[in-house]
Amino acid sequence: MSVTRQEFRDAMARLGAAVNVITTGGPAGRGGFTASAVCSVTDEPPTLLVCMNRNATAAPMLRANGTVCVNVVAAGQKEVAMVFAGVTKCSMEERFHAGTWASLATGAPVLQGAVVAFDCRIADIVDKGTHSVIFAEVAGIRGGSQHEAGLIYFGRDYHPVGHPAGD
């Protein structure tokens, strides 16, 4: 049995996932993109996996900087996610006009108000098909408000998820 690209994409649209704005910062400049393909790999050392299209505008910056921040987007930050997904067609630097940004250990941009942000150094990158699989060791974490709902991508659209603590 053979599965077409479109069949696979349609099926993956039914797999809900957290919305993340992936950023990088360093000598090569700031860059970022929106991704749902992020997961935990191990807690010793704390490591995340991020999948990035190899043609992403931010890819050369990310590789050169060796840093990445996984900003787990809060429900109220849908517009930031859309900007970093390229919906607005603005320049890479203009993307950072959406949201408020700080930094932690690596210098990668950290989205203020995110549900949580994982500031990482890239440990390894493996290319597979159209994407690069980034293994990122966590150097710092900034937790957001426990009262903020998250955002998931499901059915090719954004949806709030979770109930604020105490609700």
Side-chain angles (χ1 to χ4, degrees):
M1 181 173 138
S2 179
V3 176
T4 68
R5 180 177 187 260
Q6 191 59 50
E7 287 173 322
F8 179 73
R9 292 175 65 93
D10 290 345
M12 289 304 297
R14 307 298 297 164
L15 177 64
V19 177
N20 306 279
V21 171
I22 311 301
T23 57
T24 186
R30 294 193 306 179
F33 59 96
T34 298
S36 59
V38 173
C39 70
S40 169
V41 175
T42 180
D43 62 358
E44 188 57 42
T47 304
L48 298 177
L49 174 151
V50 177
C51 294
M52 171 186 67
N53 188 305
R54 291 187 1 213
N55 293 325
T57 308
M61 286 175 263
L62 187 139
R63 287 179 182 272
N65 289 334
T67 65
V68 64
C69 186
V70 176
N71 298 282
V72 181
V73 178
Q77 296 174 316
K78 176 181 173 181
E79 294 302 318
V80 176
M82 292 177 71
V83 166
F84 277 84
V87 173
T88 60
K89 308 287 186 209
C90 63
S91 72
M92 188 60 68
E93 191 54 40
E94 288 173 328
R95 291 180 183 189
F96 289 95
H97 295 172
T100 302
W101 302 91
S103 64
L104 294 175
T106 72
V110 175
L111 179 60
Q112 301 288 52
V115 174
V116 67
F118 299 91
D119 187 31
C120 307
R121 289 186 180 83
I122 296 172
D124 196 14
I125 300 177
V126 176
D127 291 332
K128 178 70 173 173
T130 59
H131 281 65
S132 295
V133 181
I134 301 155
F135 292 89
E137 291 186 5
V138 180
I141 296 174
R142 174 174 288 163
S145 168
Q146 302 226 348
H147 302 286
E148 183 68 46
L151 193 66
I152 65 165
Y153 193 71
F154 177 81
R156 295 188 173 93
D157 200 4
Y158 298 103
H159 306 276
V161 65
H163 299 284
D167 286 359

